[in-house]
Amino acid sequence: MAIRRALSGRIMDPTPVVGARYMSSWWRSVEPALKDPILGVTEAFLADPNPDKINVGVGAYRDDNGKPVVLECVREAERRIAGNSNMEYLPMGGSVNMVEETLKLAYGENSELIKDRRIAAVQALSGTGACRLLADFQKRFCPESQIYIPVPTWSNHHNIWRDAQVPQKTYHYYHPESRGLDFAAMIDDIKNAPNGSFFLLHACAHNPTGVDPTEEQWREISHHIKVKGHFAFFDMAYQGFASGDPERDAKSIRIFLEDGHHIGIAQSYAKNMGLYGQRVGCLSVLCEDEKQAVAVKSQLQQLARPMYSNPPVHGALIVSTILGDPDLKKLWLKEVKVMADRIIGMRTALRGNLEKLGSPLSWQHITNQIGMFCYSGMTPEQVDRLTNEFHIYMTRNGRISMAGVTTGNVEYLANAIHQVTKSA
Amino acid sequence: MDSVFAAIVQAPEDPILGVTVAYNKDQSPVKLNLGVGAYRTEEGKPLVLNVVRKAEQLLVNDQSRVKEYLPILGLAEFNKLSAKLILGDDSPAIQENRVATAQCLSGTGSLRVGAEFLAKHHNERTIYIPQPSWGNHLKVFTMAGLSVKTYGYYDPTTRGLNFQGLLEDLGAAPAGAIVLLHACAHNPTGVDPTVEEWEQIRQLIRSKGLLPFFDSAYQGFASGSLDADAQPVRMFVADGGECFMAQSYAKNMGLYGERVGALSIVCKAADVASRVESQLKLVIRPMYSNPPLHGASIASTILKNSDMYNEWKVELKAMADRIISMRKQLFDALTAKGTPGDWSHIIKQIGMFTFTGLNSDQVAFMTKEYHIYMTSDGRISMAGLSSSTVPHLADAIHAAVTRSS
């Protein structure tokens, strides 16, 4: 009946619609996707009207007033850039200037490896984009290999290698009992992995735990990785942000370079230059010689071309303007230290408050851990209570973004944590 | 230690971007770059639109602006405005909340995200692309996990549309197959279907149950009118059916390097669009997490301010008009020289590119002897021409066509 009525309407129409209106959607069986565990937290936070709410979810730096920060060096760089350049396509490998300066940060200002042109490097879409390019590259050129990912890690690491269709395994990393590094188990996993496996290492300020190996431990990790001929891939998203000193934060990488590894590195300027939304980063792969570096770079470009053709220019210009000007670079280093110091200060304050409240638990891991995140050790149920009763937003693995802690909210936060853990 | 990548060989240059690399190496004072499709002024310079500079200044001077992560799907305001731009302000699809939009990295990024979504969720993993098409289409769709077939499009004898071939090939496609359509200003040929031909294509696609995927990289740039250039897309959306659209602001806003674009998926119903949107996030997150802020902010600033929008339309029309004028000048020059052959396709074709019909030998000759750089398929970017360089190009074409092989 309905169809006949509808059809008779069609007959009046001089250009009858063919087919379209009576087809159901192609996407009727598409399921609603689960929210991203990290980014979904901020969405929920924004929707909460409560005035005491705190966002210690996503790892984006906030000042002591809880406000996002645009660094002075960045503002100045933008003033210089605006109106001065064209907006032509960058090459597929991105801004050569930006990449050169970025390599110096990771490999060392006077690195022989840079001089010898042994590093294949391309501008990438922040850390995510760098990891994804490496994962796609691994799939294409080492299709038999697996990636070993620490437990726990940034949740998106799993998504990246999965979408690149690289088989993944995990290695022991975090030791819940000590809230520190499970070093012996980690070394075992390195030894037991098939030769030539890829190992994802957090160069500093491990996300989400904040637990980093000591220098001695890094040397041993390097040794065992070398023995097995594994490929060491460093995700360095927090250089400068961990200790306040970029050179110090790159120590793990320098140890591996001294040991002769041919490493890969993903670098991001999201946090340490506050360029989050600009998506600026770099993927580098150390090769045997210049010829190989040229070949590898060309292949990385082949992976970028069908993904986005060439990377965005604006953020890259900001970076190269800052790093290419000695005064601006000095200003940047100062501003990075301020951010790192504020976070270290908040760690001390949070721990101090919890101890003052008479918490029965040990909270020394808050100050032992480093970088933006604190792995509190709270359970998902405790986190849910924090959210539901106290309007505190964080990921359910108990990870607290210390950047979201301020002198204004640290007492409230400490009290809330104490309330949900005191009977643990 | 041996490198795990010791056996890697150097990849060949990208055929399009490699042209500029070669051009840059050439020392000749008369060299001409007609390779990559980036607009050039009469003086041969890249152009940043005035309205873009204005928008940029507004953004830089606004001290309240921050650089936080955008949501995974990008700047919401930009997405809404982008959908309106292609679908029309009064589009029922938008009013009914049936359009899922994600800000992506220009046209390439929009195509890739759309293709990955399709590879994951669509029951038919074959996409038909026109023969020929932009060189990167094949790579984008293949990397996304789709299998690529072609449909007849260009007729070398007429240097126009092979309409029968197109209808036959699409008519033989399996139900559900995806069809890539260049919304206007086909790249590389410049050959577009007429309105009547578009209507026939639409009917065929709908009756066969094929899924249209529009690549819209030249809206406003082809005819000079944003609405006219969007007509094919709007015809499809008006029939109530579903489609994909990849939009780029590289050319029409001159935002090339800022990588500004959007993927829109027109769905049958709002709840479908909402679920589709949520799944798009899962494709994007492991690729680059969220899109870059700067370019989309510029585009949004322009699109939402009616004065700036009008300024943009004027500057856009000026670019389109200059290209149309270059077409006429080249055609006139070849006619005046009596260059053998029918060159009317130069003025019949539309958009940034002309498919000259020159073969790769002739192209190589023109590069070697006249320092003219173009892709080996004979495609020239009209945007790279100026009144002062048209004579040199006409000389080169004339020489290439008349030389004995």
Side-chain angles (χ1 to χ4, degrees), chain B residues 111-130:
Chain B
L111 291 165
R112 176 63 178 268
V113 170
E116 294 240 347
F117 176 91
L118 288 167
K120 246 171 126 175
H121 296 282
H122 194 46
N123 57 359
E124 176 56 61
R125 312 263 283 264
T126 308
I127 183 163
Y128 285 74
I129 70 177

Side-chain angles (χ1 to χ4, degrees), chain A residues 201-315:
Chain A
L201 304 162
H202 296 224
C204 65
H206 180 271
N207 177 1
T209 69
V211 170
D212 284 350
T214 62
E215 221 179 281
E216 295 70 46
Q217 288 173 326
W218 273 121
R219 292 192 192 283
E220 239 189 282
I221 293 166
S222 169
H223 168 74
H224 289 287
I225 284 183
K226 192 168 177 181
V227 164
K228 296 289 294 186
H230 295 324
F231 179 84
F233 181 59
F234 285 93
D235 186 352
M236 183 158 67
Y238 299 99
Q239 187 182 13
F241 215 94
S243 69
D245 175 2
E247 280 299 292
R248 205 167 125 194
D249 289 346
K251 189 65 188 175
S252 59
I253 287 173
R254 306 291 170 82
I255 288 170
F256 273 66
L257 292 175
E258 277 162 32
D259 265 0
H261 292 270
H262 294 140
I263 61 176
I265 309 179
Q267 288 170 266
S268 165
Y269 286 100
K271 286 89 177 170
N272 63 11
M273 242 186 230
L275 295 179
Y276 306 94
Q278 310 290 166
R279 319 311 293 128
V280 202
C282 177
L283 168 67
S284 60
V285 176
L286 176 60
C287 303
E288 283 170 350
D289 53 39
E290 181 177 355
K291 181 158 176 272
Q292 197 181 87
V294 168
V296 167
K297 180 178 170 175
S298 74
Q299 295 293 352
L300 290 173
Q301 290 176 175
Q302 288 288 311
L303 293 164
R305 177 56 158 154
M307 206 187 288
Y308 49 84
S309 283
N310 38 71
V313 62
H314 188 72

Side-chain angles (χ1 to χ4, degrees), chain A residues 25 30-31 85 87 262 309, chain B residues 1 53 108 242 257 275 279:
Chain A
S25 170
V30 167
E31 298 281 320
S85 338
M87 288 172 178
H262 294 140
S309 283
Chain B
M1 276 174 78
R53 283 282 180 236
T108 308
E242 298 182 320
R275 282 182 277 126
Q279 289 289 346

Side-chain angles (χ1 to χ4, degrees), chain A residues 385-402:
Chain A
R385 280 191 63 196
L386 279 183
T387 306
N388 298 331
E389 294 172 38
F390 296 92
H391 306 275
I392 293 171
Y393 291 82
M394 52 198 283
T395 47
R396 291 184 88 235
N397 56 7
R399 182 191 86 163
I400 300 175
S401 171
M402 296 307 298

Side-chain angles (χ1 to χ4, degrees), chain A residues 65-172:
Chain A
N65 296 314
K67 296 271 176 286
V69 170
V70 178
L71 302 186
E72 262 316 301
C73 61
V74 169
R75 290 241 184 258
E76 174 57 27
E78 282 205 305
R79 278 190 283 269
R80 294 186 195 180
I81 290 165
N84 283 330
S85 338
N86 56 50
M87 288 172 178
E88 293 295 284
Y89 292 126
L90 282 176
M92 284 183 282
S95 159
V96 168
N97 279 347
M98 192 279 275
V99 166
E100 268 173 25
E101 292 295 337
T102 303
L103 294 183
K104 286 188 202 164
L105 283 178
Y107 294 83
E109 185 77 29
N110 300 307
S111 164
E112 289 301 313
L113 304 167
I114 298 178
K115 296 203 180 96
D116 294 342
R117 300 165 151 317
R118 282 179 51 192
I119 306 172
V122 295
Q123 179 184 338
L125 294 161
S126 210
T128 309
C131 286
R132 176 58 178 267
L133 275 185
L134 190 283
D136 281 348
F137 184 72
Q138 178 183 358
K139 174 68 180 176
R140 185 170 271 188
F141 294 102
C142 296
E144 309 302 314
S145 66
Q146 303 168 106
I147 181 84
Y148 279 76
I149 295 180
V151 178
T153 194
W154 179 50
S155 56
N156 203 27
H157 279 143
H158 292 289
N159 299 332
I160 291 168
W161 270 270
R162 180 204 62 220
D163 272 22
Q165 294 174 35
V166 173
Q168 38 185 287
K169 289 240 159 48
T170 57
Y171 65 89
H172 287 83

